[in-house]
Amino acid sequence: MTAQAGGAPTASGAPGTPTTPAAPTRRRGSGLAIARFAVARVVGLVATLFVASIVIFGALFLAPGSPITFLTHGRSMSPEAVKALEHEYHLDESVPAQYWHWLTGVLHGDFGTSILYHDSVGSLIASRVVNTVALVLFSAVLIIVLGLSIGIYAGLRPGRLAGTLMGTSTALMAVPAFVAAVVLTLVFAVDLGWFPVFGSGSGLLDRIHHLVLPSVALALASVAFVGRLTNAAVREELAADHVQTAISRGLPYRFVVRRHVIRNAAVPMLTVAGLTVAGLIAGSVVVEQVFQLNGLGSFLVTAVQQKDFPVVQAICLIYVTSFVVLNTLIDLLYSFLDPRIAVGRGPS
Amino acid sequence: MTTPLLQVEALNIALPVDGELRTVLHDVSFSLEPGRTVGLVGESGSGKSMTARAVARLLPPGARVRGRLEFDGASIVDLRGEALRRYRAGDVSMIFQDPRSAINPVRRIGDFLTEALRINGGMSSRAAGARAVELLAEVGIADGARRLRQYPHELSGGLLQRVMIAATLAVRPRLILADEPTTALDVSTQAEVMAILGRLRAEYGMAMLFITHDLDLAAAVCDETIVMYAGSVVEQHRGASLHEDPLHPYTAALAQARPDIDRATRRLPAIPGYPTTAYEVPPGCAFAPRCPHAVAACTTQEPQLVPIGDGHSRCIRAEELRGRMLTGPSTTEGVA
Ligand SMILES: Nc1ncnc2c1ncn2[C@@H]1O[C@H](COP(=O)(O)OP(=O)(O)OP(=O)(O)O)[C@@H](O)[C@H]1O
Ligand code: SF4
Ligand SMILES: [Mg+2]
């Protein structure tokens, strides 16, 4: 994260320089700085993804067992047949050539062929990605809406209820997603029967119904975490000198809260909420397994067990890309929310 | 004598620290007439800011206030809701020590200057913007239109403090509370900002409560100066002779501890010993542990603020020491 909030004044802010001409220069200057900042972030993003792709591809060669063993189902085959298989899956080429082949394919949207299903990895993933995206989105909405509301409420209205909310949050923060999943299933699916125990459902409403428990399980600890952090950010801003200034100017309380407290607390609030949502990608694998949602996560687990390398590579790449892209977006949002960031930074 | 704009009478303030109330102001009384300037001087922690904050109704939550605080004859302590908001919006304005922390860092200078005009003054954005440019011109910032688009971190401390003064002018309050407005600035900027503040204050006839560490500055700027020690007023002095004719040994010590321009190389050290807080004052005179003139009686009876010369002094030996305080300990009686 870019957390250096250094307030280094720029040259044009020198004391007593009412003679500095040309307003447009300055504006173009800061516009340029922001553009340069955005370009630098995007270049960083591409570089990160490139390295990630090498790691993902290379890691499979470090894993024990070769795909050929799996392709032949352990049976002994004639060297010719093995050769033919190796050729079909490009296993006879050098590693860099294989990587290059894979990468150019990926860039054209071709993730190769599944060893297990003999079908294109792209279409196998496409049918499952919706479930994962829905799960993560649902959880993200819970985190952002509930986490921010609880935190803002507790920050603005300290008291019994706020204390209870924060105390509960501290306890919930420590609950891992799989524990939450098991407890929620026992209570709301098995005992009360309000929700299905597992599965993805069919049709829009049924799917949403099936997604409630998994989403809550995935989001619970994060809601608590974001809630606590928002609470702290709001309290800190409430006590900040500039808020005291705003109050001393007789501005209405609601205005001060909206324009100064929440607005400034939004910088840490949204950054943490965003990072937490990006972190859901990892948690979703576990939750999909527990609730047997037919998403990318459960597909990944099967693929790893079956050594279906093209599928593993594709899903890992999708996970890493989503995570890195989300992070870059948060970074850009952060610098947009806090004007001290972009301008203070060089193009590095 | 005109009726005072601000009347503070036996003001006692206690703040909650670790669940108990601690006294920070003890029996503070003074008054300020329209258009005049009263200075508050004293070491760090003596209660200067708390006094100003009490006037602006900006005390920390849980503060206990006793005594009278009146603005234009009406009790400030009793102001509620809309009346309180109007009092803050139009009657008093506070200028803070560090403009960099007192102005929202993520909003533009224009937002800062126009928000009060728009929200409290009901101006349109366009009219408020035009007015803001005029206000900036009044504090010597010529390229106002450009400044309005900038963020606080793009301006120097001196410029920001001028923006703060411009915001005060927008309201044209009857009372300015200036809490060390130049302490965070470098020396040359300090003089500029003081000059602007002085000129505008005189031009618009605003009264000012001016807080400073600087005895000479107080003497130069203020019609009357109040010296505070450990939450109490120890001296109240009209006119500009504060540092030449101190009425209280603490003021004398402050005068001697200040850097001397003529003998810049031989700066006197700060006053020996540590300042006491109002919470832990010993019985008798609060200054006794550091006072070079202390005698046995000082630790047994609490001195009252009594009239002397151009003002008042809270020292039992004020009369006898008058005119001899600056020469150092002049008595043969040791500290008992
Ligand atoms: N929020 C608070 N809670 C409790 N005590 C406080 C609080 N703020 C200040 N104090 C105490 O009140 C006393 C007076 O503080 P005040 O800020 O008025 O001093 P000051 O004279 O303005 O000092 P300085 O020159 O450092 O600004 C100090 O002893 C300080 O420790
Ligand atoms: S009362 Fe005594 S201790 Fe206090 S200032 Fe006067 S001489 Fe010093
Ligand atoms: Mg202070």
Side-chain angles (χ1 to χ4, degrees):
Chain A
M1 269 316 303
T2 49
Q4 307 100 307
T10 57
S12 69
T17 48
T19 45
T20 323
T25 320
R26 162 82 221 157
R27 279 183 82 194
R28 225 189 301 130
S30 73
L32 205 72
I34 291 166
R36 232 192 285 140
F37 173 74
V39 168
R41 298 273 89 198
V42 172
V43 169
L45 170 84
V46 171
T48 311
L49 286 181
F50 180 65
V51 173
S53 73
I54 292 176
V55 171
I56 288 168
F57 190 82
L60 293 183
F61 288 88
L62 301 176
S66 107
I68 280 299
T69 337
F70 184 78
L71 286 171
T72 57
H73 300 286
R75 284 170 288 147
S76 52
M77 289 172 92
S78 68
E80 291 75 34
V82 172
K83 269 230 149 56
L85 265 181
E86 281 184 346
H87 186 71
E88 187 188 339
Y89 289 94
H90 304 286
L91 296 173
D92 53 348
E93 294 168 33
S94 71
V95 175
Q98 285 186 47
Y99 169 72
W100 183 247
H101 191 86
W102 175 70
L103 186 68
T104 46
V106 165
L107 290 177
H108 290 96
D110 174 14
F111 289 97
T113 311
S114 161
I115 296 174
L116 187 60
Y117 297 93
H118 304 289
D119 195 356
S120 109
V121 174
S123 60
L124 286 169
I125 283 177
S127 64
R128 291 165 170 87
V129 78
V130 184
N131 285 326
T132 299
V133 169
L135 173 68
V136 171
L137 271 185
F138 203 152
S139 302
V141 169
L142 288 179
I143 291 172
I144 291 171
V145 172
L146 287 181
L148 296 190
S149 315
I150 291 172
I152 291 173
Y153 173 83
L156 292 177
R157 300 242 181 291
R160 259 189 125 82
L161 179 57
T164 315
L165 282 172
M166 287 303 109
T168 316
S169 298
T170 312
L172 288 181
M173 250 163 59
V175 177
F178 72 91
V179 174
V182 170
V183 174
L184 287 171
T185 311
L186 285 178
V187 176
F188 294 99
V190 178
D191 274 4
L192 296 170
W194 292 352
F195 297 100
V197 177
F198 55 77
S200 315
S202 55
L204 185 65
L205 283 181
D206 191 40
R207 273 167 182 260
I208 292 176
H209 192 213
H210 276 79
L211 269 180
V212 173
L213 285 189
S215 305
V216 172
L218 183 55
L220 200 61
S222 305
V223 168
F225 177 64
V226 170
R228 281 198 63 92
L229 212 120
T230 303
N231 172 56
V234 168
R235 276 159 178 261
E236 192 184 320
E237 285 304 328
L238 263 183
D241 285 350
H242 71 89
V243 171
Q244 296 285 302
T245 311
I247 292 173
S248 82
R249 300 171 89 194
L251 295 168
Y253 182 72
R254 293 177 145 274
F255 179 87
V256 174
V257 164
R258 191 160 34 86
R259 293 285 292 252
H260 296 286
V261 178
I262 305 286
R263 169 63 182 82
N264 287 48
V267 181
M269 256 156 52
L270 292 181
T271 307
V272 168
L275 286 174
T276 312
V277 168
L280 291 183
I281 293 169
S284 70
V285 178
V286 177
V287 171
E288 283 178 16
Q289 271 303 96
V290 176
F291 288 96
Q292 298 179 27
L293 292 177
N294 191 13
L296 286 189
S298 35
F299 193 30
L300 174 66
V301 174
T302 333
V304 168
Q305 283 163 353
Q306 310 284 353
K307 295 224 160 28
D308 197 347
F309 288 176
V311 172
V312 174
Q313 287 170 332
I315 296 181
C316 285
L317 196 64
I318 289 173
Y319 280 166
V320 171
T321 308
S322 332
F323 187 81
V324 175
V325 168
L326 269 176
N327 264 297
T328 305
L329 287 179
I330 294 160
D331 233 21
L332 290 174
L333 176 73
Y334 185 59
S335 64
F336 176 76
L337 284 174
D338 193 336
R340 290 168 296 184
I341 307 299
V343 180
R345 285 168 58 102
S348 57
Chain B
M1 194 171 170
T2 40
T3 46
L5 181 68
L6 177 69
Q7 176 92 49
V8 179
E9 187 100 17
L11 179 65
N12 282 274
I13 292 179
L15 297 175
V17 177
D18 303 327
E20 62 169 334
L21 283 173
R22 293 195 172 176
T23 305
V24 293
L25 286 189
H26 178 69
D27 269 343
V28 172
S29 301
F30 66 93
S31 67
L32 174 53
E33 281 138 41
R36 292 171 66 85
T37 298
V38 163
L40 285 183
V41 297
E43 281 167 297
S44 200
S46 55
K48 307 180 298 290
S49 296
M50 278 306 145
T51 308
R53 287 180 162 264
V55 174
R57 282 285 300 269
L58 280 181
L59 291 175
R64 188 198 63 198
V65 182
R66 296 222 176 107
R68 267 194 322 139
L69 260 175
E70 282 176 7
F71 184 87
D72 212 8
S75 168
I76 297 172
V77 184
D78 297 329
L79 288 173
R80 292 282 176 274
E82 190 54 25
L84 173 60
R85 209 176 64 68
R86 252 185 289 117
Y87 165 70
R88 284 168 168 165
D91 291 331
V92 294
S93 268
M94 193 140 172
I95 298 174
F96 296 87
Q97 174 171 345
D98 180 8
R100 208 167 284 291
S101 69
I103 298 179
N104 190 339
V106 307
R107 294 200 160 274
R108 291 173 200 271
I109 299 298
D111 293 323
F112 177 73
L113 280 174
T114 59
E115 65 181 3
L117 293 170
R118 287 184 294 112
I119 306 296
N120 293 335
M123 280 192 189
S124 69
S125 297
R126 180 182 294 268
R131 178 81 186 107
V133 173
E134 283 171 27
L135 290 166
L136 287 178
E138 283 204 59
V139 296
I141 300 178
D143 52 349
R146 176 168 78 91
R147 296 297 183 192
L148 292 188
R149 288 193 303 268
Q150 289 186 310
Y151 286 98
H153 72 269
E154 298 174 75
L155 270 62
S156 67
L159 275 179
L160 272 188
Q161 196 60 295
R162 292 199 219 183
V163 168
M164 195 84 198
I165 295 172
T168 300
L169 276 185
V171 178
R172 208 167 295 174
R174 289 198 282 167
L175 172 60
I176 299 176
L177 305 168
D179 191 350
E180 308 196 33
T182 60
T183 309
L185 310 177
D186 61 70
V187 181
S188 61
T189 325
Q190 281 182 2
E192 276 171 38
V193 168
M194 275 320 295
I196 292 167
L197 195 57
R199 173 169 60 79
L200 295 171
R201 203 196 57 72
E203 202 170 310
Y204 297 113
M206 298 180 280
M208 176 160 77
L209 186 62
F210 182 72
I211 296 177
T212 178
H213 277 115
D214 186 337
L215 216 59
D216 296 83
L217 189 57
V221 169
C222 305
D223 301 305
E224 179 184 328
T225 305
I226 286 155
V227 183
M228 295 185 74
Y229 186 75
S232 292
V233 175
V234 294
E235 171 170 345
Q236 175 234 358
H237 201 129
R238 281 183 294 278
S241 57
L242 189 66
H243 46 313
E244 287 136 25
D245 179 23
L247 305 175
H248 190 279
Y250 176 61
T251 316
L254 281 179
Q256 284 174 316
R258 80 201 140 101
D260 196 315
I261 304 158
D262 303 328
R263 290 169 295 153
T265 46
R266 223 195 110 243
R267 281 194 178 182
L268 282 154
I271 310 173
Y274 296 98
T276 336
T277 64
Y279 168 70
E280 48 189 20
V281 288
C285 173
F287 188 54
R290 301 167 77 190
C291 179
H293 308 288
V295 292
C298 300
T299 54
T300 53
Q301 65 185 106
E302 189 183 328
Q304 300 303 306
L305 200 59
V306 291
I308 174 174
D310 280 339
H312 290 74
S313 171
R314 196 187 287 279
C315 171
I316 55 171
R317 302 188 62 199
E319 284 292 355
E320 122 193 43
L321 292 170
R322 178 101 194 264
R324 296 188 292 143
M325 289 180 200
L326 286 175
T327 53
S330 52
T331 56
T332 43
E333 315 106 290
V335 180

